[in-house]
Amino acid sequence: MTNLLEALEKWTEYLDAGNGIDVIFLDYRKAFDTVPHKRLLSKLQQAGITGKVFNWIQAFLQSREMRVVVWKKITELKDCIDLQEDLTRLQHWSNTWLLQFHPEKCKVMHVGHKHRFQYRITQSNQTYTLNETEEEKDLGIIVTNNLSASTQCAEAAKKAMRILGMVRRQFKNMDKQCFILLYKTFIRPHLEYAIQVWSPYKRGDIECLEKVQRRATKLVFALRNCSYEDRLVKLGLTTLEERRRRGDLIETYKIITGKEKVRIEDFFNFHQSNYELRGHQYKLVTKRSRLEVRRNYFSQRVVGPWNRLPSHVVEATTVNTFKNRFDRLKKGTS
């Protein structure tokens, strides 16, 4: 998730500044069947990696696939040429390490601009032009050339509904405990995988996800005639929208406290003034955003809710303590 957060942070920032982006998705052909493992392992040993770590990597190199993703900000044609040069260098590196691309699976996505530069790779003395794509799955998330979350929302809801149908067929009369176990294990994860990256802000997309939980809670026979709100209360659940807000703040806490391996300054700026007496010491600066997609991206949408948190929540020493204090705050207890 942090890989995707960092990537989309830059992409939305570039777009908001009026730039375009070219994203190149490269697919290696049978990478771990053809890579010279002995060379790679020898290189690791030379770097001082031995023992259990070395043995784990040696085992990991068997029966695996790999995808490399490159992106670049595009402001003029020269940027496209520079990216092509990067691609050519990567091609030379791949040849040295006896790796081959799947030319027909290598694609380029143009985001936010109309430069239709034709990127090429050469393999076995044959040159291939990369196909253009409007959407591509990246680390399990569908990324589109307008950076909209709608496609990902629809796909996540579709997967969750498919599992929901299977559960409904297998369990005719379900009690609360059985439902909670099945729902949290098999259905809800599809609706929340890396959600901080693609959290929806359009009402249609929000409802697309919420309707899955709405239907799912009707599986509990004793609650079928209750309203959705009552079903949530009796099951000890919240709306998915509320869970996303909670997840945003948890991730913000982890980034600010160094519990994620990312650079804080890539996402947030702290208030520098000392005259603010109310609130907590980790208040964030609100940045101006021109585009809707940027205003609603993770680093922008969390600023207001984060700044409004009381100090005893923000200054928690562990993630679990933060979660517990936040949950008590929402319930109105001390």
Side-chain angles (χ1 to χ4, degrees):
M1 183 179 70
T2 53
N3 180 295
L4 290 167
L5 276 176
E6 289 179 305
L8 271 295
E9 174 67 25
K10 287 298 182 184
W11 296 3
T12 56
E13 181 182 323
Y14 291 158
L15 285 182
D16 201 61
N19 299 305
I21 308 155
D22 277 351
V23 188
I24 295 180
F25 299 92
L26 300 174
D27 190 287
Y28 281 110
R29 174 181 286 141
K30 297 183 178 179
F32 287 92
D33 293 336
T34 57
V35 66
H37 291 174
K38 291 184 179 179
R39 290 192 197 180
L40 181 56
L41 294 173
S42 174
K43 197 172 185 179
L44 291 174
Q45 287 179 321
Q46 292 173 18
I49 298 175
T50 59
K52 291 183 178 180
V53 174
F54 177 83
N55 293 335
W56 182 88
I57 295 174
Q58 189 174 35
F60 178 82
L61 289 174
Q62 300 172 0
S63 303
R64 294 290 187 267
E65 296 178 354
M66 179 173 64
R67 168 166 289 183
V68 178
V69 181
V70 182
W71 60 82
K72 182 175 178 61
K73 179 173 68 174
I74 303 296
T75 58
E76 57 184 354
L77 182 59
K78 182 182 180 300
D79 295 322
C80 298
I81 297 173
D82 290 342
L83 182 54
Q84 176 62 64
E85 292 177 354
D86 289 339
L87 186 57
T88 302
R89 282 193 290 270
L90 183 56
Q91 177 75 67
H92 293 330
W93 179 90
S94 299
N95 292 339
T96 300
W97 283 87
L98 306 181
L99 288 168
Q100 286 191 321
F101 290 116
H102 255 306
E104 63 276 11
K105 293 184 179 180
C106 295
K107 302 174 183 178
V108 58
M109 180 186 294
H110 302 292
V111 183
H113 70 97
K114 297 181 179 180
H115 292 290
R116 289 298 185 262
F117 187 87
Q118 293 188 324
Y119 296 96
R120 296 179 172 85
I121 59 174
T122 301
Q123 189 159 275
S124 301
N125 296 321
Q126 186 172 353
T127 299
Y128 300 87
T129 299
L130 271 58
N131 294 321
E132 292 187 17
T133 182
E134 294 184 354
E135 65 179 48
E136 189 74 9
K137 182 168 285 190
D138 187 0
L139 298 178
I141 299 300
I142 299 176
V143 180
T144 63
N145 63 349
N146 61 0
L147 302 188
S148 168
S150 298
T151 303
Q152 172 62 25
C153 286
E155 184 64 20
K158 180 180 177 182
K159 288 182 179 179
M161 289 295 285
R162 185 164 59 244
I163 302 299
L164 178 60
M166 294 172 58
V167 171
R168 182 187 292 113
R169 290 190 293 271
Q170 297 298 322
F171 298 88
K172 301 299 182 183
N173 296 308
M174 199 180 306
D175 60 19
K176 295 180 183 179
Q177 291 72 24
C178 181
F179 168 78
I180 290 296
L181 177 63
L182 292 171
Y183 178 65
K184 290 184 177 180
T185 304
F186 298 109
I187 300 172
R188 194 168 68 183
H190 289 291
L191 304 173
E192 297 185 332
Y193 169 71
I195 189 63
Q196 284 77 13
V197 178
W198 55 279
S199 183
Y201 56 89
K202 295 180 179 178
R203 181 47 53 185
D205 294 336
I206 293 172
E207 181 58 27
C208 177
L209 299 181
E210 200 69 46
K211 72 178 181 182
V212 180
Q213 181 168 269
R214 184 179 288 107
R215 292 184 182 181
T217 53
K218 288 185 177 181
L219 291 179
V220 182
F221 185 79
L223 302 179
R224 287 183 179 178
N225 295 325
C226 298
S227 67
Y228 178 47
E229 292 73 18
D230 287 343
R231 293 198 301 272
L232 292 179
V233 171
K234 293 178 180 180
L235 290 169
L237 299 175
T238 64
T239 65
L240 293 176
E241 192 170 8
E242 289 180 74
R243 276 185 58 82
R244 289 193 293 272
R245 284 195 289 266
R246 178 179 183 268
D248 277 352
L249 292 172
I250 292 171
E251 185 62 22
T252 302
Y253 169 82
K254 290 164 70 175
I255 291 175
I256 286 177
T257 56
K259 293 177 175 59
E260 292 283 30
K261 301 298 182 181
V262 299
R263 291 172 10 120
I264 299 174
E265 55 269 29
D266 286 345
F267 293 93
F268 306 119
N269 292 327
F270 292 108
H271 268 293
Q272 299 299 318
S273 60
N274 296 319
Y275 61 83
E276 178 60 70
L277 300 179
R278 300 182 62 184
H280 53 78
Q281 60 179 320
Y282 298 115
K283 282 199 169 184
L284 304 175
V285 175
T286 302
K287 301 177 183 177
R288 292 183 178 275
S289 301
R290 182 174 59 90
L291 300 179
E292 186 179 44
V293 68
R294 177 61 177 170
R295 288 195 299 272
N296 289 281
Y297 189 63
F298 169 74
S299 64
Q300 310 303 302
R301 67 175 183 263
V302 300
V303 173
W306 173 263
N307 287 346
R308 289 192 291 271
L309 289 176
S311 59
H312 79 279
V313 175
V314 170
E315 294 167 10
T317 56
T318 68
V319 175
N320 282 336
T321 301
F322 177 87
K323 291 179 181 179
N324 292 334
R325 290 180 179 178
F326 177 79
D327 291 341
R328 288 197 294 269
L329 176 69
K330 299 305 290 185
K331 290 179 181 179
T333 59
S334 58

